Amino acid sequence: MLQLTDIKKSYTTGDFTQVALNGVSVNFRENEFVAILGQSGSGKTTLLNIIGGLDQYDSGDLVINGKSTKDFKDGEWDAYRNNSVGFVFQSYNLITHLSILDNVEMGMTLSGVSSSEKKQRATQVLERVGLKDHLHKKPNQLSGGQMQRVAIARALANDPDIILADEPTGALDSETSEQIMDLIKEIADDKLVIMVTHNPELAEQYADRIVNFKDGHIVKDSNPYVETTTNSNYELKRTSMNYFTALKLSGKNIATKKWRTGLTAFAASIGIIGIALILSLSSGFQKQIDEFQSDALSEFPITVSRQAVSMDEESLKEMQSQGPMAKKEFVKSDKVYLYNPADSNVTHTNNITQEYVDYLQEIDPELVRSIGFTRMVGMNLLRKTDDEVTPVSINIGISGVGGAGAGGISSMSGVGLSSYPVSIDGKGSSYLKKNYDVLAGNYPKDETEMVLVVDNQNRIDVETMKNLGFDTEDIESLKFTDIVGTELQLVANNDFYDKSELGNFMPTQDLEKAYTASANTKLKIAAVVRQKEDVQVAILANGVAYSDALVDLVLEKEKDSEIVKAQRDSDTNVMTMEPFKADEKETFVAYLGGDSTPMMIYIYPVDFASKDKIIDYLDAFNKGKETKDTIVYSDLASSMTEMTGGIMDAITMVLIAFASISLVVSLIMVGIITYISVLERTKEIGVLRALGARKKDITRVFNAETLIIGAFSGFLGILIAYLLTIPTNIILENMTGLANIAQLQPLHAISLVIISVVLTLIGGSIPARMAAKKDPVEALRSE
Ligand code: ADP
Ligand code: MG
């Protein structure tokens, strides 16, 4: 069944060529016990290695079951070793970090036998060699004879046709030797056993056939055989180690050197710790900056007012040529120069049209937090207290956010009316919910519900309360709940103004009737609200605040009311009958609700980046228009943009670059550790190859090892970094008063673990490849 014809093999080291086999031709029977005797160095081991497919012959042929191995590829040799051959070595060559059972199962593991069958077969052969009670021991817990029994069990486990034993009793005492020989003899009953020995007595006593070897060839054969059967239906089952086996193998190996692996992983994790900390700090600072930005933008929105300072290049140049910064040099003269700033076109009158308002409504909602419009709209409000109807006086409403920032206009409103912006998506109260806490009542559900804004001391202007009709003498006992639910009637101009016989309009005398007019809108104070503690700047003035949508409602209602129509057509005030001065008429029509174009527009960007985009959007409106039709905005926050621009990013990049150096160091370290591991596990590599592992499988084993180290050091690094953020935050809070700056983002944590794994895999890949290239014979020979 096994046929060697003129096998030659020589080794070349440097200039010297050593002939190990010099034309060996021999046939073996399907089951016989062949002993090969010969001096040391005569080529016996070389012959066994070639028969076992561990080493390749230079010339001749090795025919197994009628199939020539001349054209065998690597994979076929691997499969051949796994399926057809079982090795027994003098030095046992067990994998020390695996249990006896795992050692015996390894050959079957490589050929993909299911785990239950593997276990059953392994237990069976271990029972056969007399080790039933030692299944879960490690090799170093056994005696030499027992270890050799394990090796024999391992050789038998995959049920091969050929058992190759290289001086199996060489390291054993004579009594144990005989027991082992008995076992081998028994095996030879149904297998071909080829055993190398230097002990002629043992050979004589046990073997069926003795082959004497000298200088690389056979000098005597006690029972030669001439091959008669040829059967080329010889099939080999391919081997492969799955990833899980590789992980298990390396995991068990690592488990035997916990301290070293732990320390390596710790050292390797330092780079990860550094980067994780830097990232968590920088994202914390970035968050602070973002908060600062949005606060700054709340205070300094982009504003568009009727009168603006033009900031275009031409005007700026002009301003410089006239203003105090006109020229850097100081004039040497005793003369006074006169100039009139009004002559310049630095001031620009914005003609805010409905078209512009519509254009603004089209801004990408992602960019703006809100847009406020200031309109001067009067509201005719009446309140009924103790059966008496009183006007809620000085009812000029400042629509939009103007209440807070519109200076002079705001003071016209005795009630301190201000409105909150309807966010661009139309949900009015989302602005309130974000910036204001409800102290009593509920957030408004629609535009007819208003709120009373108090300051952080819960104070409210006494005039406001008086105007709302509350008894301010007895204010001590006024509770929020007394205010919530207060109802006001918003009376339409047509019901509120009567036309007198003189032809002018006067507020009606019959307030009772106006209070119950059918066209009224019932308004309600739905809540008392206060700026949230963590909101730095809120836009509503203390007093009554209502939604922009209410203003729209009034405008819609009043634009064609009698008084508005009359006033539009007349150049005298239809109430006082006095002629208007300058642009008083426009203001009055607007007050009556006859003009919906805003006086002032406030745009609140989400952040600085959005602000830049909004400005681009605003500039786009002016493109191609004549100067007088352009709309000039002012951007008070612009000077702050540069402050934050990229500095944080730059610092983060520099720090990460430093931390990356430690990552590279750990990469190299993992490479070295893997290399040491390869050296340490050389014998294991040889054993695995002898059992049929492919080169690929060996790479897999070492990649699994680096994968474990990489993942472990990644997780360890993240854990340590996370723990370090706690003291870091305490220190930073003491230093800066800012809480929880360092925050490790989950995304960063996951990425860093992945980076750690990838880098260690790279670091370990070269040693892993070196391991795979190792010659199995040399690997087995190593100590
Ligand atoms: P034996 O097992 O009979 O003692 P070996 O088969 O191990 O002999 O060796 C046969 C000869 O080949 C010896 O001279 C040995 O030095 C040489 N030899 C074996 N393997 C190698 C090798 N890998 N490189 C160089 N020479 C080798
Ligand atoms: Mg030898």
Side-chain angles (χ1 to χ4, degrees):
M1 72 161 283
L2 187 65
Q3 201 176 346
L4 281 73
T5 33
D6 201 23
I7 292 281
K8 287 188 178 158
K9 173 77 180 176
S10 52
Y11 296 103
T12 306
T13 29
D15 300 338
F16 181 71
T17 301
Q18 169 74 46
V19 178
L21 295 178
N22 189 12
V24 177
S25 301
V26 61
N27 284 353
F28 296 102
R29 297 174 182 85
E30 212 164 317
N31 41 58
E32 61 177 344
F33 188 175
V34 185
I36 297 178
L37 278 172
Q39 281 178 340
S40 145
S42 59
K44 304 180 299 291
T45 301
T46 308
L47 181 70
L48 275 199
N49 288 340
I50 282 176
I51 291 174
L54 268 180
D55 213 346
Q56 259 69 66
Y57 48 86
D58 296 337
S59 65
D61 196 6
L62 173 79
V63 179
I64 170 94
N65 281 331
K67 187 177 171 87
S68 165
T69 59
K70 251 182 193 155
D71 303 320
F72 262 27
K73 305 245 167 33
D74 278 359
E76 284 165 302
W77 279 119
D78 296 334
Y80 168 70
R81 281 198 303 279
N82 181 269
N83 304 171
S84 304
V85 184
F87 284 97
V88 179
F89 307 93
Q90 181 180 346
S91 53
Y92 329 125
N93 286 342
L94 300 176
I95 299 173
T96 50
H97 56 84
L98 294 182
S99 72
I100 305 303
L101 197 62
D102 284 339
N103 265 287
V104 175
E105 284 181 358
M106 187 51 69
M108 293 185 277
T109 304
L110 288 166
S111 54
V113 176
S114 76
S115 65
S116 58
E117 194 188 339
K118 231 166 44 179
K119 186 158 185 198
Q120 192 220 325
R121 267 160 62 178
T123 316
Q124 219 173 342
V125 286
L126 279 165
E127 215 167 302
R128 186 172 165 199
V129 300
L131 290 175
K132 195 178 148 202
D133 304 326
H134 306 277
L135 298 184
H136 299 290
K137 283 189 179 167
K138 289 279 173 70
N140 59 9
Q141 292 167 311
L142 299 179
S143 70
Q146 286 172 319
M147 283 198 269
Q148 197 60 296
R149 284 167 193 270
V150 176
I152 291 169
R154 179 178 63 189
L156 289 174
N158 230 3
D159 195 23
D161 300 325
I162 308 161
I163 300 287
L164 301 172
D166 195 353
E167 307 202 25
T169 60
L172 301 173
D173 60 73
S174 57
E175 200 191 319
T176 319
S177 293
E178 285 183 14
Q179 292 169 2
I180 294 294
M181 290 306 293
D182 283 332
L183 186 58
I184 293 176
K185 171 95 183 145
E186 188 193 319
I187 290 161
D189 281 351
D190 59 349
K191 284 192 197 310
L192 167 61
V193 175
I194 305 171
M195 180 186 76
V196 165
T197 179
H198 56 267
N199 188 334
E201 287 96 64
L202 276 184
E204 210 69 59
Q205 196 183 335
Y206 291 96
D208 308 326
R209 176 179 171 189
I210 297 174
V211 174
N212 287 89
F213 223 73
K214 202 183 172 195
D215 296 337
H217 61 269
I218 295 167
V219 289
K220 196 180 150 204
D221 190 339
S222 72
N223 187 11
Y225 170 61
V226 179
E227 177 95 61
T228 48
T229 53
T230 44
N231 167 21
S232 60
N233 285 337
Y234 181 59
E235 294 242 358
L236 288 170
K237 192 159 176 258
R238 292 288 171 140
T239 61
S240 131
M241 183 189 286
N242 64 32
Y243 287 103
F244 180 73
T245 308
L247 272 176
K248 187 172 143 187
L249 205 58
S250 283
K252 287 196 172 171
N253 175 52
I254 283 172
T256 61
K257 39 188 187 189
K258 293 193 187 75
W259 274 103
R260 187 172 94 187
T261 314
L263 282 173
T264 309
F266 173 65
S269 71
I270 287 171
I272 299 289
I273 297 172
I275 295 180
L277 272 182
I278 292 163
L279 286 177
S280 51
L281 275 174
S282 89
S283 51
F285 281 127
Q286 193 58 52
K287 229 168 114 189
Q288 292 290 336
I289 290 174
D290 290 347
E291 262 165 43
F292 164 77
Q293 282 190 352
S294 75
D295 286 346
L297 289 166
S298 303
E299 204 160 8
F300 305 111
I302 300 169
T303 53
V304 181
S305 52
R306 291 231 168 130
Q307 294 295 316
V309 177
S310 180
M311 286 302 200
D312 68 60
E313 241 170 273
E314 209 176 301
S315 319
L316 280 175
K317 229 181 265 167
E318 198 174 327
M319 191 158 75
Q320 278 164 3
S321 70
Q322 293 184 342
M325 304 172 293
K327 289 198 176 84
K328 285 258 158 59
E329 313 93 70
F330 289 82
V331 175
K332 281 188 192 126
S333 162
D334 56 358
K335 225 181 103 190
V336 172
Y337 295 90
L338 295 178
Y339 81 100
N340 184 359
D343 288 346
S344 74
N345 48 23
V346 170
T347 51
H348 176 93
T349 303
N350 281 326
N351 182 21
I352 303 174
T353 56
Q354 191 57 40
E355 182 201 353
Y356 192 65
V357 172
D358 292 342
Y359 182 76
L360 289 185
Q361 305 281 12
E362 305 270 290
I363 292 185
D364 181 357
E366 303 280 307
L367 300 178
V368 288
R369 264 194 304 145
S370 56
I371 298 183
F373 297 99
T374 299
R375 300 185 183 95
M376 275 188 51
V377 184
M379 281 199 230
N380 315 312
L381 297 175
L382 297 177
R383 184 179 175 213
K384 195 168 192 174
T385 44
D386 303 330
D387 296 325
E388 187 199 354
V389 175
T390 49
V392 174
S393 65
I394 324 182
N395 41 17
I396 287 182
I398 309 294
S399 158
V401 290
I409 302 171
S410 164
S411 67
M412 290 165 74
S413 163
V415 188
L417 284 165
S418 62
S419 83
Y420 51 85
V422 180
S423 64
I424 202 122
D425 58 5
K427 290 193 197 87
S429 59
S430 70
Y431 174 82
L432 273 188
K433 281 181 185 150
K434 198 172 159 229
N435 295 288
Y436 288 84
D437 283 325
V438 161
L439 300 178
N442 295 302
Y443 285 110
K445 282 186 281 295
D446 59 39
E447 69 270 19
T448 67
E449 300 199 330
M450 310 196 289
V451 293
L452 185 75
V453 184
V454 295
D455 71 5
N456 59 347
Q457 309 287 310
N458 285 4
R459 289 179 309 181
I460 186 83
D461 181 1
V462 65
E463 283 303 310
T464 300
M465 294 315 284
K466 230 184 242 173
N467 286 328
L468 279 173
F470 285 97
D471 181 4
T472 47
E473 304 298 307
D474 192 22
I475 204 80
E476 288 303 312
S477 63
L478 191 66
K479 293 211 185 67
F480 290 152
T481 43
D482 300 328
I483 301 167
V484 171
T486 300
E487 282 179 8
L488 301 172
Q489 289 287 347
L490 173 63
V491 185
N493 282 348
N494 288 350
D495 294 316
F496 193 75
Y497 294 104
D498 289 337
K499 201 166 184 178
S500 73
E501 283 135 36
L502 294 168
N504 67 332
F505 287 85
M506 293 296 286
T508 181
Q509 295 301 305
D510 192 352
L511 291 177
E512 283 286 345
K513 188 173 152 228
Y515 191 83
T516 53
S518 60
N520 286 358
T521 307
K522 192 167 87 182
L523 304 182
K524 194 174 98 177
I525 295 181
V528 177
V529 298
R530 187 171 67 190
Q531 183 177 334
K532 284 188 177 165
E533 268 184 57
D534 57 347
V535 173
Q536 310 278 328
V537 180
I539 58 174
L540 297 180
N542 297 333
V544 176
Y546 50 85
S547 154
D548 267 355
L550 181 62
V551 180
D552 290 338
L553 191 121
V554 172
L555 289 169
E556 183 55 35
K557 213 179 203 176
E558 308 297 7
K559 69 174 194 277
D560 296 320
S561 62
E562 292 302 322
I563 187 168
V564 166
K565 276 197 270 187
Q567 187 59 73
R568 275 206 196 104
D569 297 340
S570 166
D571 282 335
T572 55
N573 186 316
V574 292
M575 285 174 76
T576 62
M577 291 309 227
E578 280 169 19
F580 285 120
K581 285 194 225 98
D583 47 3
E584 275 177 358
K585 176 181 166 179
E586 281 162 33
T587 312
F588 192 61
V589 170
Y591 166 78
L592 291 173
D595 184 0
S596 65
T597 52
M599 295 279 296
M600 194 97 161
I601 301 167
Y602 298 86
I603 303 165
Y604 293 84
V606 173
D607 53 28
F608 277 101
S610 330
K611 197 194 71 176
D612 291 341
K613 286 194 192 138
I614 293 170
I615 282 177
D616 288 343
Y617 185 79
L618 298 183
D619 287 340
F621 181 83
N622 291 337
K623 215 166 173 199
K625 287 200 167 62
E626 273 183 58
T627 314
K628 71 172 175 57
D629 293 326
T630 59
I631 302 285
V632 173
Y633 53 85
S634 65
D635 172 19
L636 287 169
S638 68
S639 55
M640 282 176 219
T641 320
E642 282 115 55
M643 207 175 74
T644 55
I647 292 179
M648 200 61 223
D649 289 349
I651 294 173
T652 307
M653 290 311 291
V654 170
L655 290 178
I656 285 181
F658 277 116
S660 303
I661 294 172
S662 52
L663 259 190
V664 171
V665 171
S666 48
L667 171 89
I668 295 168
M669 206 168 55
V670 168
I672 293 169
I673 293 291
T674 314
Y675 178 65
I676 292 172
S677 185
V678 169
L679 294 183
E680 282 178 349
R681 296 175 78 180
T682 303
K683 193 139 220 172
E684 186 183 336
I685 297 171
V687 174
L688 289 172
R689 294 303 305 277
L691 287 170
R694 304 166 304 168
K695 287 180 178 169
K696 221 189 211 171
D697 299 329
I698 303 298
T699 315
R700 234 170 238 189
V701 168
F702 287 94
N703 281 342
E705 181 164 325
T706 46
L707 179 89
I708 294 170
I709 296 177
F712 183 61
S713 66
F715 282 117
L716 189 70
I718 293 303
L719 179 72
I720 294 174
Y722 175 73
L723 293 177
L724 282 178
T725 57
I726 299 167
T728 306
N729 280 334
I730 294 172
I731 293 167
L732 282 176
E733 188 165 1
N734 284 334
M735 277 166 56
T736 65
L738 299 170
N740 285 328
I741 291 189
Q743 278 170 17
L744 188 55
Q745 308 289 318
L747 184 71
H748 289 161
I750 293 166
S751 321
L752 284 172
V753 171
I754 293 171
I755 288 173
S756 169
V757 169
V758 171
L759 284 184
T760 48
L761 276 180
I762 292 171
S765 70
I766 297 168
R769 225 169 286 179
M770 281 165 49
K773 284 207 187 115
K774 267 198 193 304
D775 176 39
V777 177
E778 271 173 44
L780 281 170
R781 212 184 294 211
S782 73
E783 275 320 302

